[in-house]
Amino acid sequence: MKTLIQNAKILLNADSDIIDGDILINNNIIEKIDKNIKVDDDVKIIDAKQNLIMSGFIDCHAHSAMTILKGVGEGTPLETWLYDYMFKYESHLTSEDIYYGTKLAVLEYLKNGITTVNDMYYKGESIAKAFYEMGLRAFVQCDESSIEETEKLYLNIQKYSPLVKANFGCHSVYTADEERFAHAIKLAKKYNEIVSTHMCETLTEVGNCDKEYKMTPVKLLESYGFFDTKAMVYHAVYLDKEDYDILKKYNVSVCSNPASNLKLGSGIAPVYPLISKGINVCLGTDGSASNNRLDMFREMYLVGCLQKGIMHNSEVIKCEEVIKMATENGAKALNANNIGTIKVGNLADLIMINLHGTNNATNINIKSNLVYASGSEDVIMTMVDGKVLYENGKFLNNIDENDIYDKVNKVIDRLKIKRV
């Protein structure tokens, strides 16, 4: 099946000029990019009407099924929120609960132009099944209590489809010991996958690590050999000078989660210093119980504005750099070289942004508007793997959103979560 997107404004990548043209897709692969592409009658035509076609957003850190717990533990710091609320309710979540919680998250991802998610949560097979059935591209992190169970989960997820893949990791240095990290590192090396973890998210975490190990979390992870394979760390809010050098030395990717860090009162990550060191920085939403919105437009806006504000310099991060964080830098962090940009041979994970509505009517600077003016209301279409899953406010591909809402609310009632 071939699809032709015609009459489009096209952003090939963050640094390219926006061009006018068409995109021909053969099944799930971008086959041709040109002006006035001629096709046979049996090709599906999508008229972009001079709206923007760009690569879909890549959410490099999420706990998708936490949609079930959105609003729980409101107004508490991370440690209280995590131990007194999240862990309490998560211990009662079944595989089916997580399956539907993930599906609810996918509705939000599609509506917000997110086409790839790197997910970290419990009961990985339920997560993989939900992503597969909904048609979203996903990487599911494997982290079980034993290396045998972790490897078994990884191999089971890899069987689903090319759309859903697995990788490895541990939650954090304060919830996992060296042996648990060793399992993840060993398997990541064996299967040439990335390994990831939360790191340096709060001052409490960094302080406790120093008390127990006499080193920062970055140095502790280095001592574990965590950076000896392709690694990504989430948050990295509190770093010392040597930490930067270690992250650069091992080519570690850093996933910043500005909305979650702000909402939990954790702080503001030093994104501009990281970029200045040549460290690959990508973006994630984190879970919707700490954010509480799975929205890369908001992450882009915040990461740009926060760095300008704390550096007292409006020139520190250009809008092109922010768009990179939300697209191609994420692909690099996930070791996925066929997404994140529009080029021949890449997978057709594309979104269409309205350039004629209130937010973008002037179009003086489309890239700037994308970062600082646009929102989910401007997403006209979300295409994953060559299939249109969301268009003009409607979910396609037989997605029954009302059934998902009903199932998730029944979980909340069963858990006796108080509604206020």
Side-chain angles (χ1 to χ4, degrees):
M1 174 66 184
K2 289 194 176 185
T3 302
L4 178 66
I5 301 175
Q6 61 184 17
N7 190 26
K9 297 281 186 184
I10 304 171
L11 180 61
L12 299 173
N13 59 68
D15 289 328
S16 69
D17 291 333
I18 292 168
I19 62 173
D20 292 296
D22 304 340
I23 302 172
L24 181 63
I25 299 160
N26 189 348
N27 292 319
N28 64 339
I29 302 295
I30 297 171
E31 185 174 276
K32 189 175 184 179
I33 305 165
D34 206 346
K35 289 184 177 181
N36 302 315
I37 297 175
K38 304 301 180 185
V39 293
D40 299 330
D41 292 339
D42 60 344
V43 174
K44 178 183 177 181
I45 303 294
I46 298 175
D47 185 359
K49 299 179 180 178
Q50 284 291 285
N51 288 306
L52 182 69
I53 299 293
M54 64 174 290
S55 178
F57 299 125
I58 299 174
D59 186 345
C60 277
H61 179 51
H63 312 287
S64 298
M66 289 182 91
T67 50
I68 296 168
L69 302 175
K70 184 182 288 189
V72 172
E74 176 63 32
T76 57
L78 183 136
E79 287 77 18
T80 303
W81 171 85
L82 186 63
Y83 286 99
D84 294 354
Y85 292 97
M86 296 303 110
F87 288 169
K88 170 188 171 182
Y89 287 112
E90 286 171 344
S91 65
H92 298 291
L93 292 176
T94 67
S95 296
E96 186 178 40
D97 297 341
I98 287 173
Y99 168 77
Y100 281 108
T102 302
K103 282 197 164 188
L104 178 57
V106 174
L107 297 179
E108 203 168 347
Y109 293 138
L110 292 174
K111 186 168 74 78
N112 294 335
I114 296 169
T115 54
T116 299
V117 175
N118 184 43
D119 193 87
M120 171 195 273
Y121 213 52
Y122 310 100
K123 305 185 190 302
E125 287 199 56
S126 296
I127 296 168
K129 182 182 178 184
F131 279 123
Y132 170 69
E133 290 181 359
M134 296 289 279
L136 198 76
R137 192 174 308 284
F139 294 83
V140 180
Q141 182 173 297
C142 300
D143 176 21
E144 299 298 300
S145 57
S146 71
I147 191 169
E148 293 81 12
E149 287 299 311
T150 301
E151 186 169 28
K152 179 181 176 182
L153 175 61
Y154 171 81
L155 294 173
N156 285 345
I157 291 174
Q158 293 295 83
K159 295 174 185 176
Y160 267 93
S161 81
L163 200 65
V164 181
K165 293 296 183 184
N167 53 41
F168 300 99
C170 289
H171 180 272
S172 61
V173 296
Y174 57 89
T175 60
D177 59 18
E178 183 174 2
E179 183 181 5
R180 188 76 168 253
F181 274 96
H183 295 166
I185 295 163
K186 183 176 180 179
L187 291 172
K189 289 179 178 178
K190 179 177 179 178
Y191 292 103
N192 192 29
E193 299 286 359
I194 72 162
V195 66
S196 58
T197 189
H198 297 86
M199 188 198 76
C200 300
E201 187 172 357
T202 66
L203 280 172
T204 299
E205 174 198 336
V206 175
N208 288 342
C209 188
D210 182 64
K211 287 178 184 177
E212 185 170 357
Y213 299 102
K214 306 302 180 188
M215 62 180 84
T216 67
V218 177
K219 296 181 181 71
L220 181 62
L221 288 170
E222 183 186 31
S223 74
Y224 288 170
F226 187 78
F227 302 135
D228 292 340
T229 187
K230 189 172 178 63
M232 173 163 52
V233 293
Y234 312 129
H235 302 297
V237 177
Y238 298 100
L239 303 171
D240 69 16
K241 182 179 182 299
E242 292 178 349
D243 290 341
Y244 289 100
D245 295 335
I246 292 169
L247 295 174
K248 174 61 178 175
K249 174 184 175 182
Y250 293 98
N251 294 316
V252 178
S253 289
V254 173
C255 179
S256 183
N257 309 264
S260 177
N261 293 156
L262 288 172
K263 190 171 185 299
L264 288 171
S266 300
I268 300 170
V271 170
Y272 176 66
L274 286 164
I275 292 171
S276 299
K277 287 279 188 179
I279 295 167
N280 183 57
V281 178
C282 52
L283 290 177
T285 57
D286 210 344
S288 63
S290 67
N291 184 315
N292 293 13
R293 182 178 168 94
L294 305 175
D295 185 350
M296 291 291 278
F297 289 103
R298 186 162 71 172
E299 304 304 327
M300 288 195 296
Y301 178 88
L302 285 172
V303 78
C305 287
L306 285 170
Q307 297 306 303
K308 293 172 188 291
I310 63 175
M311 299 299 295
H312 304 285
N313 184 346
S314 64
E315 298 178 322
V316 292
I317 293 186
K318 299 185 183 300
C319 55
E320 288 86 354
E321 189 64 57
V322 176
I323 295 168
K324 274 186 187 178
M325 291 182 212
T327 53
E328 55 203 90
N329 286 8
K332 181 179 179 181
L334 292 169
N335 208 21
N337 58 14
N338 54 0
I339 58 175
T341 60
I342 298 177
K343 66 179 181 180
V344 172
N346 267 15
L347 293 166
D349 291 1
L350 308 173
I351 59 176
M352 186 189 302
I353 305 296
N354 185 8
L355 297 183
H356 308 300
T358 307
N359 292 339
N360 295 304
T362 57
N363 283 333
I364 293 171
N365 188 326
I366 292 175
K367 292 181 187 178
S368 177
N369 280 0
L370 186 64
V371 174
Y372 298 113
S374 297
S376 58
E377 67 271 21
D378 297 305
V379 177
I380 296 173
M381 180 194 78
T382 302
M383 171 188 284
V384 182
D385 211 40
K387 297 182 178 69
V388 177
L389 303 181
Y390 175 82
E391 189 173 29
N392 295 319
K394 295 182 179 179
F395 298 102
L396 309 178
N397 199 32
N398 298 314
I399 294 173
D400 186 347
E401 57 186 297
N402 290 319
D403 179 62
I404 296 169
Y405 300 149
D406 180 63
K407 292 294 196 306
V408 169
N409 276 291
K410 285 180 178 177
V411 175
I412 292 168
D413 290 339
R414 194 193 79 240
L415 294 178
K416 294 182 171 57
I417 295 174
K418 185 179 179 181
R419 301 176 193 262
V420 294

